[in-house]
Amino acid sequence: MASKHTPFHPIIYVRGYAMTPSEIDETSADPFCGFNLGSTTYRAVADRNRQPRKYIFESPVIRLASDFGYRDIYEDGYDILDKEWHDDPSHKLGSRAIIVYRYYDEASQLLGKGKTPELEVFSQKLGELILKVRELVCGNPDNGIAPKDFRCYLVAHSMGGLVCRGLLQNPKLDPHKAAQYVDKFFTYATPHNGIDVVGKNIPSWLSWNDINNFNRERLAGFLALDKLPKETQGRVDWLPGPIAERTFCMVGTNRNDYEVAMGLSRSFAGHGSDGLVRIENATLNALSDTQKPGAPCAKAFAFRAHSGYFGIVNSEESYQNLTRFLFGDVRVDLWVDVTDIRLPAEVRAAEDQGKKVDALYQFEAMAAPRAKLWYLTRRVAEEDSVACLRHQDWKSAPKKNGSIYLSSVFLANRARVNQNRPSLAYNLILNVRVPDYEIEQKLWINQHYEGSSLFRNALVLELEPPAVAKAAWKIRYAWQDQGFSLASEDLDPKALAGGKVEVKVPFDSGSTPGIKGQLRFVISLWNPDAQMTE
């Protein structure tokens, strides 16, 4: 039975890696370990005589308090792990609590012993913290939560996501089975597949300041992934168990704003990174019970750096993904299925003659909810975040390799602003870039126009979830073409297992060269047991 507080469970924040003793001390001195930082950006205005409009993001901690009634756990200068906190009977922990896992305190020269524990210890103690939160929440009669119904959320930045994964997927690090109480898992810029420097994985022998924690061989043992079948070896971005369906990876794509080590980090990480973690290493995939690769975990992309004032944690885009993932009402997983690719006539003639033709098709996708000033996901070629399809891969297995997962979007009933259209809606821009065609590994540039598209259009998707059990979804769409149109074309949802439905919207560039396929939306109710009263 779901808790009556669903979906507002305690949130446990798990911070990222601190390299030097001074960084560890700075982390320990901050009650919120950096999750209380916000950012100020600007938006252009029409009148050039006016200053640009400020856009302020207060911080995830403050916004969770102001938007959803969450509060921190500090009372009279103590936190829930202090004896003094428990000695005062007035100190009670509510279900909407923000707890910061201060795992670096022991390593601090100010607050601890100045010696950093192993990564395994961090994971084990995270389990102990979860059980302590469970004890306090369930022990507060005002909450009315039975111990078996207790749930919490893990929200982690960078290495903090690895700390969480150690608890979630390595039974040896969870002797008291605390992982069963984790309802959802959200990561910002976590190096799920380790960290690469100048194209090479961090070596296992580089133990200075525990940098080898990001070595894939080291992580395989830590995450209990060292005995996987051949097709999954070499990567550690696998998450087994049902938690994979309830995991979200927020990926940063802006390396330029990452100033650590005077910019050396972003130089070593290279293009296609957030300044530290490569984009391809920042997501997760499900691992089946038979240890076979499964579906990708939910993910979205933001043009933000790994950390800092303009980092991924301190952004409206990430916050909106976080809160919709935790508290939202509808989940939409977006796929593009490519059914036909039309090559330029000269290139097609070369392929018909038996010459090897290749190309890399880049799929851009940007999704923005109605009446908002930000994207929920942003995948753009110039930011190295596009989804890619190689021509040879598609040709060898069109159905298998031509199906590409783009992103997941979570929508919330509370965000509705137009009572005349009682639907959840967002706009999706899809752009397939014209590739660099190759014939026998030689670039073919005849009739090539840089920056042009095989297909480009925007689509508005509107959804009305069923009002009662077993009722039908109402789903409409409209291609925008050269202007704006309200969604008016009805779609007929196909029922899938697990209460999900699927709708498909075909597209065709209608030209040569060109591309044909369909956008496939897999839609489901999210937090169906929630009692959304706000």
Side-chain angles (χ1 to χ4, degrees):
M1 178 180 177
S3 162
K4 67 178 182 179
H5 297 275
T6 301
F8 299 108
H9 304 305
I11 296 173
I12 299 177
Y13 271 104
V14 187
R15 69 147 288 138
Y17 171 66
M19 178 181 290
T20 65
S22 63
E23 289 176 352
I24 292 174
D25 289 343
E26 182 180 353
T27 292
S28 302
D30 183 345
F32 295 99
C33 296
F35 290 109
N36 53 320
L37 295 179
S39 64
T40 303
T41 56
Y42 288 93
R43 296 182 67 90
V45 296
D47 186 351
R48 68 179 183 178
N49 294 318
R50 288 174 51 204
Q51 290 290 325
R53 183 179 293 111
K54 287 183 180 178
Y55 191 90
I56 295 173
F57 175 66
E58 306 94 310
S59 84
V61 168
I62 293 175
R63 285 288 292 277
L64 282 166
S66 62
D67 291 353
F68 298 98
Y70 273 77
R71 57 168 296 176
D72 63 67
I73 47 83
Y74 302 123
E75 298 279 358
D76 300 321
Y78 303 111
D79 72 19
I80 58 174
L81 297 181
D82 295 329
K83 179 179 181 298
E84 292 83 356
W85 193 96
H86 300 274
D87 288 343
D88 189 334
S90 68
H91 294 167
K92 296 180 180 180
L93 194 63
S95 62
R96 301 194 194 195
I98 296 175
I99 302 100
V100 177
Y101 177 30
R102 300 174 53 85
Y103 62 83
Y104 268 129
D105 281 5
E106 185 177 343
S108 171
Q109 299 177 85
L110 298 175
L111 302 176
K113 302 176 182 177
K115 184 177 180 180
T116 305
E118 294 290 322
L119 201 57
E120 286 79 359
V121 175
F122 292 156
S123 294
Q124 291 171 351
K125 290 191 174 182
L126 173 60
E128 295 172 8
L129 176 61
I130 291 173
L131 295 178
K132 172 58 70 175
V133 173
R134 172 175 174 260
E135 173 190 328
L136 294 173
V137 168
C138 296
N140 180 358
D142 295 339
N143 294 326
I145 300 176
K148 65 182 178 63
D149 295 328
F150 171 80
R151 296 294 184 271
C152 67
Y153 300 133
L154 295 182
V155 179
H157 175 235
S158 193
M159 190 184 80
L162 299 177
V163 172
C164 296
R165 287 181 61 195
L167 175 78
L168 293 172
Q169 61 189 95
N170 189 342
K172 293 181 180 178
L173 304 181
D174 186 23
H176 304 295
K177 302 188 184 307
Q180 65 181 304
Y181 301 112
V182 177
D183 185 73
K184 297 191 187 85
F185 176 37
F186 184 99
T187 67
Y188 301 96
T190 290
H192 288 297
N193 193 46
I195 288 179
D196 293 328
V197 176
V198 197
K200 301 292 184 182
N201 186 216
I202 294 288
S204 59
W205 50 262
L206 189 56
S207 59
W208 176 69
N209 286 335
D210 299 308
I211 291 178
N212 60 351
N213 281 337
F214 306 110
N215 170 264
R216 281 188 274 278
E217 185 177 351
R218 157 84 168 104
L219 286 172
F222 167 69
L223 299 169
L225 295 173
D226 47 349
K227 296 181 180 179
L228 293 179
K230 185 176 180 180
E231 63 264 38
T232 58
Q233 291 177 356
R235 299 190 67 87
V236 291
D237 47 359
W238 306 106
L239 185 62
I243 191 63
E245 177 74 12
R246 303 177 72 79
T247 293
F248 192 106
C249 300
M250 196 73 211
V251 184
T253 63
N254 179 13
R255 62 191 281 269
N256 294 322
D257 281 340
Y258 193 58
E259 298 295 341
V260 168
M262 296 181 292
L264 286 176
S265 174
R266 64 172 179 250
S267 297
F268 289 135
H271 291 283
S273 75
D274 61 10
L276 180 63
V277 179
R278 295 195 59 77
I279 293 171
E280 63 187 12
N281 290 337
T283 57
L284 282 166
N285 296 278
L287 192 67
S288 71
D289 293 339
T290 57
Q291 295 191 323
K292 298 292 184 182
C297 297
K299 63 183 177 183
F301 300 77
F303 188 57
R304 285 284 180 148
H306 185 77
S307 63
Y309 280 106
F310 301 105
I312 192 167
V313 176
N314 312 325
S315 70
E316 187 76 48
E317 299 93 327
S318 295
Y319 172 76
Q320 294 297 338
N321 275 289
L322 169 68
T323 56
R324 281 163 167 72
F325 171 67
L326 296 184
F327 315 132
D329 302 283
V330 171
R331 171 176 181 161
V332 183
D333 295 310
L334 171 62
W335 299 73
V336 59
D337 300 325
V338 178
T339 57
D340 186 33
I341 294 175
R342 294 184 292 275
L343 296 170
E346 187 176 333
V347 178
R348 171 65 70 187
E351 187 173 60
D352 291 342
Q353 293 169 12
K355 295 181 180 179
K356 183 179 179 181
V357 167
D358 216 346
L360 188 68
Y361 304 101
Q362 300 180 79
F363 295 80
E364 297 182 329
M366 295 183 286
R370 181 173 53 198
K372 302 300 179 183
L373 298 176
W374 26 260
Y375 292 110
L376 284 172
T377 190
R378 174 186 169 108
R379 306 192 68 173
V380 180
E382 285 77 12
E383 297 163 15
D384 303 313
S385 55
V386 290
C388 295
L389 173 63
R390 185 183 174 189
H391 182 76
Q392 284 292 319
D393 291 339
W394 179 81
K395 185 180 177 183
S396 64
K399 190 171 182 179
K400 175 184 176 183
N401 295 328
S403 183
I404 306 166
Y405 168 63
L406 294 179
S407 282
S408 294
V409 170
F410 293 82
L411 302 170
N413 287 324
R414 64 181 175 79
R416 292 176 178 173
V417 295
N418 188 341
Q419 297 303 317
N420 294 323
R421 293 185 73 86
S423 59
L424 299 173
Y426 71 94
N427 179 68
L428 172 70
I429 298 172
L430 176 67
N431 184 31
V432 186
R433 292 285 191 101
V434 168
D436 294 343
Y437 296 103
E438 295 181 354
I439 300 175
E440 297 292 349
Q441 298 186 336
K442 292 182 179 180
L443 184 62
W444 180 86
I445 60 174
N446 294 356
Q447 302 301 318
H448 177 84
Y449 296 92
E450 184 66 16
S452 56
S453 302
L454 290 180
F455 177 86
R456 180 179 177 86
N457 209 333
L459 176 141
V460 167
L461 187 74
E462 285 196 25
L463 310 99
E464 291 186 39
V468 296
K470 296 185 180 180
W473 285 78
K474 294 181 180 179
I475 304 174
R476 294 168 298 200
Y477 80 97
W479 286 110
Q480 301 305 290
D481 298 320
Q482 300 302 316
F484 175 78
S485 301
L486 292 173
S488 57
E489 296 290 329
D490 290 321
L491 290 166
D492 185 20
K494 173 186 175 183
L496 302 177
K500 300 179 181 180
V501 298
E502 178 184 82
V503 293
K504 300 174 182 178
V505 178
F507 66 88
D508 190 342
S509 64
S511 61
T512 300
I515 191 167
K516 179 181 178 180
Q518 62 187 13
L519 288 171
R520 178 162 49 93
F521 301 90
V522 179
I523 303 166
S524 59
L525 291 175
W526 193 244
N527 294 315
D529 296 326
Q531 298 178 10
M532 298 290 286
T533 58
E534 281 101 320

